[in-house]
Amino acid sequence: MKVLTAPTIAEMVVKKSRFLTEAIPVETAEKARELWRSQKLKYDNGGHIVFAFVTGTSGGIMGCSDDGEPAGTAGRPMLEVVKNSGITNLIVTAARWYGGIKLGTGGLVKAYTECAQLALAEAPTRELQQMAHIRFSLPYAFLEQVKLRLHDLQWECFSEAYADSVDFTGRLPENNSLILQEFLRDLSKGAITLETEKVNLE
């Protein structure tokens, strides 16, 4: 399975109906539904935001909604696209602005299928992998060197606190945590230690 590394957005027009589709990383079904509710407030299309999401290490947790479109014409077709993409931990939402021409049941299924495919066509992804949460404190003298190394090791920063030293909290692929540990040990002659916590796959 793969995960998104950044959100994507795509737009298309079918018989004057405008479709704006977004694929966004999420880690749980709860977060997917929270994001869907925020999307409903974001767009001025009458509040109808179709969605489909897949989460879990094997893509086994999923959900969708037609959100006002005829039953089975919107959320389910988008969910099939997401399921077949090999990507997990994401939600795809679609806002439609009606153009005055009815698309019919078959037309809606085709349009929502295509808009989901379009949003995922160029989506940046990486392989799903075990992550490690890490905390460490760093003297200012090492800051620039360490930040460059963190970038190379796919560091995802949760926080940086600047006081007498710099306190880092974040995560990175578990295999890279050992590389970081060795780098910091060599750089500081053993003065910098890591607090590491293995977490579940994404």
Side-chain angles (χ1 to χ4, degrees):
M1 298 295 289
K2 296 182 178 181
V3 292
L4 291 180
T5 58
T8 64
I9 189 166
E11 188 172 348
M12 68 182 214
V13 177
V14 180
K15 293 183 179 179
K16 297 185 178 180
S17 281
R18 176 189 171 210
F19 293 81
L20 184 66
T21 313
E22 294 172 79
I24 304 168
V26 293
E27 293 187 351
T28 64
E30 291 75 17
K31 289 182 179 178
R33 291 189 174 93
E34 286 175 12
L35 194 144
W36 168 62
R37 286 190 286 270
S38 71
Q39 294 287 80
K40 286 174 70 68
L41 298 173
K42 181 178 177 181
Y43 293 110
D44 60 347
N45 71 328
H48 300 297
I49 306 294
V50 175
F51 76 87
F53 71 82
V54 171
T55 65
T57 57
S58 60
I61 303 169
M62 59 190 73
C64 65
S65 173
D66 297 310
D67 201 31
E69 296 284 23
T73 64
R76 178 61 60 179
M78 284 176 49
L79 181 59
E80 289 303 312
V81 173
V82 177
K83 284 165 56 180
N84 292 329
S85 70
I87 305 171
T88 188
N89 290 354
L90 81 160
I91 183 171
V92 177
T93 67
R96 178 167 80 110
W97 287 263
Y98 180 54
I101 301 173
K102 291 186 177 181
L103 302 183
T105 301
L108 285 170
V109 171
K110 184 174 184 292
Y112 278 106
T113 297
E114 290 178 353
C115 73
Q117 290 171 337
L118 191 62
L120 294 177
E122 302 297 331
T125 62
R126 63 168 170 79
E127 291 297 326
L128 184 69
Q129 53 194 323
Q130 185 80 44
M131 303 294 284
H133 283 187
I134 290 177
R135 301 182 192 86
F136 64 94
S137 295
L138 183 73
Y140 281 88
F142 301 135
L143 182 59
E144 291 306 315
Q145 289 172 274
V146 171
K147 292 190 85 167
L148 286 172
R149 190 61 170 150
L150 288 175
H151 179 268
D152 293 339
L153 296 175
Q154 299 174 275
W155 174 255
E156 297 177 28
C157 182
F158 296 158
S159 68
E160 292 179 18
Y162 293 83
D164 294 336
S165 59
V166 185
D167 296 328
F168 284 88
T169 305
R171 70 177 184 178
L172 77 175
E174 185 185 7
N175 291 342
N176 289 347
S177 69
L178 296 176
I179 299 172
L180 177 62
Q181 192 167 14
E182 290 177 4
F183 172 75
L184 293 176
R185 185 186 62 221
D186 293 344
L187 183 67
S188 67
K189 295 182 173 55
I192 301 172
T193 58
L194 302 183
E195 294 179 43
T196 304
E197 176 189 355
K198 185 186 296 186
V199 296
N200 293 331
L201 284 170
E202 299 297 328

